[in-house]
Coordinates of all heavy atoms in Angstrom, one line a residue:
M1 N 69.2 36.2 -96.9 CA 68.2 37.2 -97.5 C 66.8 36.5 -97.5 O 66.7 35.5 -98.1 CB 68.7 37.6 -98.8 CG 67.8 38.6 -99.5 SD 68.2 40.3 -99.6 CE 69.9 40.4 -99.0
K2 N 65.9 37.1 -96.9 CA 64.5 36.5 -96.9 C 63.6 37.0 -98.0 O 62.8 36.3 -98.5 CB 63.8 36.8 -95.6 CG 64.3 36.0 -94.4 CD 63.3 36.1 -93.3 CE 63.8 35.2 -92.1 NZ 62.8 35.0 -91.1
L3 N 63.8 38.3 -98.5 CA 62.9 38.8 -99.4 C 63.7 39.3 -100.7 O 64.6 40.1 -100.6 CB 62.1 40.0 -98.8 CG 61.1 40.7 -99.7 CD1 60.0 39.8 -100.2 CD2 60.6 42.0 -98.9
T4 N 63.2 38.9 -101.8 CA 63.6 39.5 -103.1 C 62.4 40.2 -103.7 O 61.3 39.7 -103.8 CB 64.0 38.3 -104.1 OG1 65.1 37.7 -103.6 CG2 64.4 38.9 -105.4
V5 N 62.6 41.5 -104.1 CA 61.6 42.3 -104.7 C 62.0 42.5 -106.2 O 63.1 42.9 -106.5 CB 61.4 43.6 -104.1 CG1 60.4 44.5 -104.8 CG2 61.1 43.5 -102.6
I6 N 61.1 42.1 -107.1 CA 61.3 42.2 -108.5 C 60.4 43.3 -109.0 O 59.2 43.2 -108.9 CB 61.1 40.9 -109.3 CG1 62.1 39.8 -108.7 CG2 61.2 41.1 -110.8 CD1 61.8 38.5 -109.3
V7 N 60.9 44.4 -109.6 CA 60.2 45.5 -110.1 C 60.3 45.5 -111.6 O 61.4 45.5 -112.2 CB 60.7 46.8 -109.5 CG1 59.8 48.0 -110.1 CG2 60.6 46.8 -108.0
I8 N 59.1 45.5 -112.3 CA 59.2 45.5 -113.7 C 58.9 46.9 -114.2 O 57.8 47.5 -113.9 CB 58.1 44.5 -114.3 CG1 58.2 43.1 -113.7 CG2 58.2 44.4 -115.8 CD1 59.5 42.5 -113.8
N9 N 59.8 47.4 -115.0 CA 59.6 48.8 -115.5 C 59.2 48.7 -117.0 O 59.8 48.0 -117.8 CB 60.9 49.5 -115.5 CG 60.8 50.9 -116.1 OD1 60.0 51.7 -115.6 ND2 61.5 51.1 -117.2
Y10 N 58.1 49.3 -117.3 CA 57.6 49.4 -118.7 C 57.1 50.8 -118.9 O 56.0 51.1 -118.5 CB 56.6 48.3 -119.0 CG 56.2 48.4 -120.4 CD1 57.0 48.0 -121.4 CD2 54.9 48.8 -120.8 CE1 56.7 48.0 -122.8 CE2 54.5 48.9 -122.1 CZ 55.4 48.5 -123.1 OH 55.0 48.5 -124.4
H11 N 57.9 51.7 -119.4 CA 57.5 53.0 -119.6 C 57.0 53.8 -118.4 O 56.1 54.6 -118.4 CB 56.4 53.2 -120.7 CG 56.9 52.7 -122.1 ND1 58.0 53.3 -122.8 CD2 56.5 51.7 -122.9 CE1 58.1 52.7 -123.9 NE2 57.3 51.7 -124.0
C12 N 57.7 53.5 -117.3 CA 57.3 54.2 -116.1 C 58.5 54.7 -115.3 O 58.4 54.9 -114.1 CB 56.4 53.4 -115.1 SG 57.1 51.8 -114.6
A13 N 59.6 55.0 -116.0 CA 60.8 55.5 -115.3 C 60.6 56.7 -114.6 O 61.2 57.0 -113.5 CB 61.9 55.7 -116.4
D14 N 59.6 57.6 -115.0 CA 59.4 58.9 -114.3 C 58.8 58.7 -112.9 O 59.0 59.5 -112.0 CB 58.4 59.8 -115.1 CG 57.2 59.1 -115.5 OD1 57.2 57.9 -115.6 OD2 56.1 59.8 -115.7
I15 N 58.1 57.5 -112.6 CA 57.6 57.3 -111.3 C 58.2 56.1 -110.6 O 57.9 55.8 -109.5 CB 56.0 57.1 -111.3 CG1 55.7 56.0 -112.3 CG2 55.3 58.4 -111.7 CD1 54.2 55.6 -112.3
L16 N 59.2 55.5 -111.3 CA 59.9 54.3 -110.7 C 60.6 54.7 -109.3 O 60.6 53.9 -108.4 CB 60.9 53.8 -111.7 CG 61.7 52.6 -111.3 CD1 60.7 51.4 -111.1 CD2 62.7 52.2 -112.3
N17 N 61.1 55.9 -109.2 CA 61.8 56.3 -107.9 C 60.9 56.1 -106.7 O 61.3 55.8 -105.6 CB 62.4 57.6 -108.0 CG 63.8 57.6 -108.6 OD1 64.5 56.6 -108.5 ND2 64.2 58.6 -109.3
R18 N 59.6 56.5 -106.9 CA 58.7 56.4 -105.8 C 58.5 55.0 -105.3 O 58.5 54.6 -104.2 CB 57.3 57.0 -106.1 CG 56.4 56.9 -105.0 CD 55.1 57.7 -105.3 NE 54.2 57.7 -104.1 CZ 53.1 58.3 -104.0 NH1 52.6 59.0 -105.0 NH2 52.4 58.2 -102.9
C19 N 58.4 54.0 -106.3 CA 58.4 52.7 -106.0 C 59.6 52.2 -105.3 O 59.6 51.5 -104.2 CB 58.2 51.8 -107.3 SG 58.3 50.1 -107.1
L20 N 60.8 52.5 -105.8 CA 62.1 52.1 -105.2 C 62.3 52.7 -103.8 O 62.8 52.0 -102.9 CB 63.2 52.5 -106.1 CG 63.2 51.7 -107.5 CD1 64.4 52.3 -108.3 CD2 63.3 50.2 -107.3
N21 N 61.9 53.9 -103.6 CA 62.0 54.6 -102.3 C 61.1 53.9 -101.3 O 61.5 53.7 -100.1 CB 61.7 56.1 -102.3 CG 62.7 56.9 -103.0 OD1 63.8 56.5 -103.1 ND2 62.3 58.0 -103.5
S22 N 59.9 53.4 -101.7 CA 59.0 52.8 -100.7 C 59.5 51.4 -100.4 O 59.4 51.0 -99.2 CB 57.6 52.7 -101.3 OG 57.5 51.7 -102.3
I23 N 60.2 50.8 -101.3 CA 60.8 49.4 -101.0 C 61.9 49.5 -100.0 O 62.0 48.8 -99.0 CB 61.2 48.7 -102.2 CG1 60.1 48.4 -103.1 CG2 62.0 47.4 -101.9 CD1 60.4 48.0 -104.5
H24 N 62.8 50.5 -100.2 CA 63.9 50.7 -99.3 C 63.5 51.2 -97.9 O 64.1 50.8 -97.0 CB 64.9 51.8 -99.9 CG 65.9 51.2 -100.8 ND1 67.0 50.6 -100.4 CD2 65.9 51.1 -102.2 CE1 67.7 50.1 -101.4 NE2 67.0 50.4 -102.5
T25 N 62.4 51.9 -97.8 CA 61.9 52.3 -96.6 C 61.2 51.2 -95.8 O 61.4 51.0 -94.7 CB 60.8 53.4 -96.7 OG1 61.4 54.5 -97.4 CG2 60.2 53.9 -95.4
A26 N 60.6 50.2 -96.6 CA 59.9 49.1 -96.0 C 60.7 48.1 -95.4 O 60.5 47.6 -94.3 CB 58.9 48.5 -97.0
N27 N 61.7 47.6 -96.1 CA 62.5 46.5 -95.6 C 63.9 46.5 -96.2 O 64.2 47.2 -97.1 CB 61.9 45.2 -96.1 CG 60.7 44.8 -95.3 OD1 60.8 44.6 -94.1 ND2 59.6 44.6 -96.0
S28 N 64.8 45.7 -95.6 CA 66.1 45.4 -96.1 C 65.9 44.2 -97.0 O 65.5 43.1 -96.5 CB 67.1 45.1 -95.0 OG 68.3 44.7 -95.5
C29 N 66.1 44.3 -98.3 CA 65.8 43.2 -99.2 C 66.7 43.4 -100.4 O 67.4 44.4 -100.7 CB 64.4 43.2 -99.6 SG 63.7 44.7 -100.2
E30 N 66.7 42.3 -101.2 CA 67.4 42.3 -102.5 C 66.4 42.8 -103.5 O 65.2 42.4 -103.5 CB 67.7 40.8 -102.8 CG 68.2 40.5 -104.2 CD 68.4 39.0 -104.3 OE1 67.5 38.2 -104.1 OE2 69.5 38.7 -104.7
I31 N 66.8 43.7 -104.4 CA 65.9 44.3 -105.4 C 66.5 44.1 -106.8 O 67.6 44.4 -107.0 CB 65.7 45.8 -105.1 CG1 65.1 46.0 -103.7 CG2 64.8 46.4 -106.1 CD1 65.1 47.5 -103.3
F32 N 65.6 43.7 -107.7 CA 65.9 43.6 -109.1 C 64.9 44.5 -109.8 O 63.7 44.4 -109.6 CB 65.8 42.2 -109.6 CG 66.9 41.3 -109.2 CD1 66.6 40.4 -108.1 CD2 68.1 41.2 -109.7 CE1 67.5 39.5 -107.6 CE2 69.1 40.4 -109.2 CZ 68.8 39.6 -108.2
V33 N 65.5 45.4 -110.7 CA 64.6 46.1 -111.6 C 64.8 45.6 -113.0 O 65.9 45.6 -113.5 CB 64.9 47.6 -111.5 CG1 64.1 48.4 -112.6 CG2 64.6 48.2 -110.2
V34 N 63.8 45.1 -113.6 CA 63.9 44.6 -115.0 C 63.3 45.7 -115.9 O 62.2 46.1 -115.8 CB 63.1 43.3 -115.2 CG1 63.3 42.8 -116.6 CG2 63.6 42.2 -114.2
D35 N 64.2 46.2 -116.8 CA 63.8 47.3 -117.7 C 63.3 46.6 -118.9 O 64.0 46.1 -119.8 CB 65.0 48.2 -118.0 CG 64.5 49.4 -118.8 OD1 63.3 49.6 -119.0 OD2 65.5 50.1 -119.3
N36 N 61.9 46.6 -119.1 CA 61.3 45.8 -120.1 C 61.4 46.5 -121.5 O 61.0 45.9 -122.5 CB 59.8 45.6 -119.8 CG 59.3 44.2 -120.0 OD1 60.0 43.4 -120.5 ND2 58.1 43.9 -119.6
V37 N 61.9 47.7 -121.6 CA 62.1 48.4 -122.9 C 63.5 48.9 -123.0 O 63.8 49.6 -124.0 CB 61.0 49.5 -123.1 CG1 59.6 48.9 -123.3 CG2 61.1 50.5 -121.9
N38 N 64.4 48.6 -122.0 CA 65.8 49.0 -122.1 C 65.9 50.4 -122.3 O 66.8 50.9 -123.1 CB 66.5 48.1 -123.2 CG 67.7 47.5 -122.6 OD1 68.1 47.7 -121.5 ND2 68.5 46.8 -123.5
Q39 N 65.2 51.3 -121.6 CA 65.3 52.7 -121.7 C 65.5 53.5 -120.4 O 65.4 54.7 -120.3 CB 64.0 53.3 -122.3 CG 63.8 52.8 -123.8 CD 62.5 53.3 -124.3 OE1 61.6 53.8 -123.6 NE2 62.4 53.3 -125.7
L40 N 65.9 52.7 -119.3 CA 66.1 53.4 -118.1 C 67.4 54.2 -118.1 O 68.4 53.7 -118.6 CB 66.2 52.3 -116.9 CG 64.8 51.9 -116.3 CD1 65.1 50.9 -115.2 CD2 64.1 53.1 -115.7
P41 N 67.4 55.3 -117.4 CA 68.7 56.0 -117.2 C 69.4 55.1 -116.1 O 68.8 54.3 -115.5 CB 68.3 57.3 -116.6 CG 66.9 57.1 -116.1 CD 66.3 56.1 -116.9
V42 N 70.7 55.4 -116.0 CA 71.5 54.6 -115.0 C 70.9 54.9 -113.6 O 70.8 56.0 -113.2 CB 73.0 55.0 -115.1 CG1 73.8 54.3 -113.9 CG2 73.5 54.6 -116.4
I43 N 70.5 53.8 -112.9 CA 70.1 53.9 -111.5 C 71.0 53.1 -110.7 O 71.2 51.9 -111.0 CB 68.6 53.4 -111.4 CG1 67.7 54.2 -112.3 CG2 68.2 53.3 -110.0 CD1 66.3 53.5 -112.3
E44 N 71.5 53.6 -109.6 CA 72.4 52.9 -108.7 C 71.9 53.1 -107.3 O 71.7 54.2 -106.8 CB 73.8 53.4 -108.8 CG 74.4 53.1 -110.1 CD 75.9 53.5 -110.2 OE1 76.6 53.6 -109.1 OE2 76.4 53.7 -111.3
R45 N 71.5 51.9 -106.6 CA 71.2 51.9 -105.2 C 71.8 50.7 -104.6 O 71.9 49.6 -105.3 CB 69.6 51.8 -105.1 CG 68.9 53.1 -105.5 CD 67.4 52.9 -105.5 NE 66.7 54.0 -106.0 CZ 65.9 54.8 -105.2 NH1 65.8 54.5 -103.9 NH2 65.4 55.9 -105.7
E46 N 72.1 50.8 -103.4 CA 72.6 49.7 -102.6 C 71.6 48.5 -102.6 O 70.4 48.7 -102.4 CB 73.0 50.1 -101.2 CG 73.7 49.1 -100.4 CD 74.1 49.5 -99.1 OE1 74.2 50.7 -98.9 OE2 74.2 48.7 -98.2
G47 N 72.1 47.4 -102.9 CA 71.2 46.1 -102.9 C 70.3 46.0 -104.0 O 69.4 45.2 -104.0
M48 N 70.5 46.8 -105.1 CA 69.7 46.7 -106.2 C 70.4 46.5 -107.5 O 71.6 46.9 -107.7 CB 68.9 48.1 -106.5 CG 67.9 48.0 -107.6 SD 67.2 49.7 -107.9 CE 68.4 50.3 -109.0
S49 N 69.9 45.6 -108.4 CA 70.5 45.3 -109.7 C 69.5 45.6 -110.8 O 68.3 45.4 -110.6 CB 70.8 43.8 -109.8 OG 71.7 43.5 -108.7
V50 N 69.9 46.2 -111.9 CA 69.1 46.4 -113.0 C 69.4 45.5 -114.1 O 70.6 45.2 -114.4 CB 69.3 47.9 -113.6 CG1 68.5 48.1 -114.8 CG2 69.0 48.9 -112.5
I51 N 68.3 44.8 -114.7 CA 68.5 43.8 -115.7 C 67.8 44.4 -117.0 O 66.6 44.8 -116.9 CB 67.8 42.5 -115.3 CG1 68.5 41.9 -114.1 CG2 67.8 41.5 -116.5 CD1 67.7 40.8 -113.5
G52 N 68.5 44.6 -118.0 CA 68.0 45.1 -119.3 C 67.4 43.9 -120.1 O 68.1 42.9 -120.2
S53 N 66.3 44.0 -120.7 CA 65.8 42.9 -121.5 C 66.0 43.2 -123.0 O 66.1 44.3 -123.3 CB 64.2 42.7 -121.2 OG 63.5 43.8 -121.6
A54 N 66.0 42.1 -123.7 CA 66.2 42.3 -125.1 C 65.0 42.9 -125.9 O 65.1 43.4 -126.9 CB 66.6 40.9 -125.8
G55 N 63.9 42.8 -125.2 CA 62.6 43.2 -125.8 C 61.6 43.2 -124.8 O 61.8 42.9 -123.6
Q56 N 60.3 43.5 -125.2 CA 59.2 43.6 -124.2 C 58.8 42.1 -124.0 O 58.2 41.5 -124.8 CB 58.0 44.4 -124.9 CG 57.1 45.1 -124.0 CD 56.2 44.2 -123.1 OE1 56.7 43.3 -122.4 NE2 55.0 44.5 -123.1
L57 N 59.0 41.7 -122.7 CA 58.8 40.3 -122.3 C 57.5 40.1 -121.6 O 57.1 39.0 -121.4 CB 60.0 39.8 -121.4 CG 61.3 39.9 -121.9 CD1 62.3 39.5 -120.8 CD2 61.5 39.0 -123.1
G58 N 56.8 41.2 -121.3 CA 55.6 41.1 -120.5 C 56.0 41.0 -119.0 O 57.2 40.7 -118.7
F59 N 55.0 41.1 -118.2 CA 55.3 41.0 -116.7 C 55.9 39.7 -116.3 O 56.9 39.6 -115.6 CB 54.0 41.3 -115.9 CG 54.2 41.5 -114.5 CD1 54.6 42.7 -114.0 CD2 54.1 40.5 -113.6 CE1 54.8 43.0 -112.6 CE2 54.4 40.6 -112.2 CZ 54.7 41.9 -111.8
S60 N 55.2 38.6 -116.7 CA 55.7 37.3 -116.3 C 57.1 37.0 -116.9 O 58.0 36.4 -116.2 CB 54.7 36.2 -116.6 OG 54.5 36.1 -118.0
G61 N 57.3 37.3 -118.2 CA 58.6 37.0 -118.8 C 59.7 37.8 -118.1 O 60.8 37.3 -117.8
A62 N 59.4 39.0 -117.8 CA 60.5 39.9 -117.2 C 60.7 39.4 -115.7 O 61.8 39.4 -115.3 CB 60.0 41.4 -117.1
T63 N 59.7 39.0 -115.0 CA 59.8 38.4 -113.7 C 60.7 37.2 -113.7 O 61.5 37.0 -112.9 CB 58.4 38.1 -113.1 OG1 57.7 39.3 -113.0 CG2 58.6 37.5 -111.7
N64 N 60.5 36.3 -114.7 CA 61.3 35.1 -114.8 C 62.8 35.4 -115.1 O 63.6 34.7 -114.6 CB 60.8 34.2 -116.0 CG 59.5 33.5 -115.5 OD1 59.2 33.3 -114.3 ND2 58.6 33.2 -116.5
E65 N 63.0 36.5 -115.8 CA 64.4 36.9 -116.0 C 65.2 37.2 -114.7 O 66.3 36.8 -114.4 CB 64.5 38.2 -116.8 CG 64.2 38.1 -118.3 CD 65.3 37.5 -119.1 OE1 66.4 37.9 -118.9 OE2 65.0 36.6 -119.9
A66 N 64.5 37.9 -113.7 CA 65.0 38.2 -112.5 C 65.0 37.0 -111.5 O 66.0 36.9 -110.7 CB 64.3 39.4 -111.8
L67 N 64.1 36.1 -111.6 CA 64.0 35.0 -110.8 C 65.3 34.1 -110.9 O 65.6 33.4 -109.9 CB 62.7 34.1 -111.0 CG 61.5 34.6 -110.4 CD1 60.3 33.8 -110.9 CD2 61.5 34.6 -108.9
A68 N 65.9 34.1 -112.1 CA 67.1 33.3 -112.3 C 68.2 33.8 -111.4 O 69.1 33.0 -111.0 CB 67.5 33.4 -113.7
W69 N 68.1 35.0 -110.8 CA 69.2 35.6 -110.0 C 68.8 35.7 -108.5 O 69.6 36.0 -107.6 CB 69.6 37.0 -110.5 CG 70.1 36.9 -111.9 CD1 69.4 37.2 -113.0 CD2 71.4 36.6 -112.3 NE1 70.2 37.0 -114.1 CE2 71.4 36.7 -113.7 CE3 72.6 36.2 -111.6 CZ2 72.6 36.4 -114.4 CZ3 73.7 35.9 -112.3 CH2 73.7 36.0 -113.7
A70 N 67.5 35.5 -108.2 CA 66.9 35.8 -106.9 C 67.5 34.8 -105.9 O 67.5 33.6 -106.1 CB 65.4 35.8 -107.0
L71 N 67.8 35.4 -104.7 CA 68.2 34.5 -103.6 C 67.3 34.5 -102.4 O 67.5 33.7 -101.5 CB 69.6 35.1 -103.0 CG 70.8 35.1 -104.1 CD1 72.0 35.8 -103.4 CD2 71.1 33.7 -104.5
G72 N 66.2 35.2 -102.4 CA 65.3 35.3 -101.3 C 64.4 34.1 -101.2 O 64.1 33.4 -102.2
E73 N 64.0 33.9 -99.9 CA 63.0 32.8 -99.7 C 61.6 33.2 -100.2 O 60.8 32.4 -100.6 CB 62.9 32.6 -98.2 CG 64.2 32.0 -97.6 CD 64.1 31.8 -96.1 OE1 63.0 31.4 -95.6 OE2 65.0 32.2 -95.4
W74 N 61.3 34.5 -100.2 CA 60.1 35.1 -100.6 C 60.4 36.0 -101.8 O 61.4 36.7 -101.8 CB 59.4 35.9 -99.5 CG 59.0 35.1 -98.3 CD1 59.8 34.8 -97.2 CD2 57.8 34.5 -98.0 NE1 59.1 34.0 -96.4 CE2 57.9 33.8 -96.8 CE3 56.6 34.4 -98.7 CZ2 56.8 33.1 -96.3 CZ3 55.5 33.7 -98.2 CH2 55.6 33.1 -97.0
V75 N 59.5 36.1 -102.7 CA 59.6 36.9 -103.9 C 58.3 37.8 -104.0 O 57.2 37.3 -104.0 CB 59.8 36.2 -105.2 CG1 59.9 37.1 -106.4 CG2 61.1 35.3 -105.1
L76 N 58.5 39.1 -104.1 CA 57.5 40.0 -104.4 C 57.6 40.6 -105.8 O 58.6 41.3 -106.0 CB 57.4 41.1 -103.3 CG 56.4 42.2 -103.5 CD1 55.0 41.7 -103.5 CD2 56.7 43.3 -102.4
G77 N 56.7 40.5 -106.6 CA 56.7 41.1 -108.0 C 55.8 42.4 -108.0 O 54.7 42.3 -107.6
L78 N 56.4 43.5 -108.5 CA 55.7 44.7 -108.6 C 55.9 45.4 -109.9 O 56.9 45.2 -110.5 CB 56.3 45.7 -107.5 CG 56.2 45.4 -106.1 CD1 57.0 46.4 -105.2 CD2 54.7 45.3 -105.6
G79 N 54.9 46.1 -110.3 CA 55.0 47.0 -111.5 C 55.8 48.2 -111.0 O 55.7 48.6 -109.8
G80 N 56.5 48.9 -111.9 CA 57.2 50.1 -111.5 C 56.3 51.3 -111.0 O 56.8 52.3 -110.5
D81 N 55.0 51.2 -111.3 CA 54.0 52.2 -110.9 C 53.3 51.9 -109.6 O 52.3 52.5 -109.3 CB 53.0 52.4 -112.0 CG 52.2 51.2 -112.4 OD1 52.6 50.1 -111.9 OD2 51.2 51.3 -113.1
V82 N 53.9 51.0 -108.8 CA 53.3 50.6 -107.5 C 54.3 51.0 -106.4 O 55.4 51.0 -106.6 CB 53.1 49.1 -107.5 CG1 52.6 48.6 -106.1 CG2 52.2 48.6 -108.5
W83 N 53.7 51.4 -105.3 CA 54.6 51.6 -104.1 C 54.0 50.9 -103.0 O 52.9 50.5 -102.9 CB 54.8 53.1 -103.8 CG 53.6 53.9 -103.6 CD1 53.0 54.1 -102.4 CD2 52.8 54.5 -104.6 NE1 51.8 54.9 -102.6 CE2 51.7 55.2 -103.8 CE3 52.8 54.7 -106.0 CZ2 50.7 55.9 -104.5 CZ3 51.8 55.5 -106.6 CH2 50.8 56.0 -105.9
V84 N 54.9 50.6 -102.0 CA 54.7 49.8 -100.8 C 54.4 50.7 -99.6 O 55.2 51.6 -99.3 CB 55.8 48.9 -100.5 CG1 55.6 48.0 -99.3 CG2 56.1 48.0 -101.8
E85 N 53.3 50.4 -98.9 CA 53.1 51.0 -97.6 C 52.9 49.9 -96.6 O 52.1 49.1 -96.7 CB 51.8 51.9 -97.7 CG 51.9 53.1 -98.6 CD 50.8 54.0 -98.5 OE1 49.9 53.9 -97.6 OE2 50.6 54.9 -99.4
I86 N 53.7 50.0 -95.5 CA 53.7 49.0 -94.5 C 52.7 49.4 -93.4 O 52.7 50.5 -92.8 CB 55.1 48.9 -93.8 CG1 56.1 48.4 -94.8 CG2 55.0 47.8 -92.7 CD1 55.8 47.1 -95.5
A87 N 51.7 48.5 -93.2 CA 50.6 48.8 -92.2 C 50.8 48.0 -90.9 O 50.0 48.1 -90.0 CB 49.2 48.5 -92.9
D88 N 51.9 47.3 -90.8 CA 52.0 46.5 -89.6 C 53.2 46.9 -88.7 O 53.8 46.1 -88.1 CB 52.2 45.0 -90.0 CG 53.5 44.7 -90.8 OD1 54.2 45.8 -91.1 OD2 53.9 43.6 -91.0
G89 N 53.4 48.2 -88.7 CA 54.5 48.8 -87.9 C 55.9 48.5 -88.4 O 56.9 48.6 -87.7
G90 N 55.9 48.2 -89.7 CA 57.3 48.0 -90.3 C 57.9 46.6 -90.1 O 59.0 46.4 -90.5
R91 N 57.1 45.7 -89.6 CA 57.7 44.3 -89.4 C 57.8 43.6 -90.7 O 58.6 42.7 -90.8 CB 56.8 43.5 -88.4 CG 56.8 44.1 -87.0 CD 56.0 43.2 -86.1 NE 54.7 43.0 -86.7 CZ 53.5 43.3 -86.2 NH1 53.5 43.9 -85.1 NH2 52.4 43.1 -86.8
G92 N 56.9 43.8 -91.6 CA 57.0 43.1 -92.9 C 56.9 41.6 -92.6 O 56.0 41.2 -91.9
I93 N 57.8 40.8 -93.3 CA 57.8 39.4 -93.1 C 58.9 39.0 -92.1 O 59.3 37.9 -92.2 CB 57.8 38.6 -94.4 CG1 59.1 39.0 -95.2 CG2 56.6 38.9 -95.2 CD1 59.4 38.1 -96.3
G94 N 59.4 39.9 -91.4 CA 60.5 39.6 -90.4 C 61.9 39.7 -91.0 O 62.8 39.0 -90.6
V95 N 62.0 40.6 -92.0 CA 63.3 40.7 -92.6 C 64.2 41.5 -91.7 O 63.8 42.5 -91.2 CB 63.2 41.4 -94.0 CG1 64.5 41.7 -94.6 CG2 62.3 40.5 -94.9

């Protein structure tokens, strides 16, 4: 696996699906969603894991939670209110 995407959710569950859909469209990658307030409904997607945090860890703290499990050579950290658009014909980083 070349790419791990870590998505930090903090009160953006309503728009999180747009972020996740854009990642799945962009590349085949490992995805972690860290729920920074532990309020996400159950989300199941192939290649994705949800990590519930004990409290609000902030972006860097939540990212570190997922980094402990990441297998990718490259790591992309995103807020749950961000989506990915590929401008290079879908090549990405060669995943």
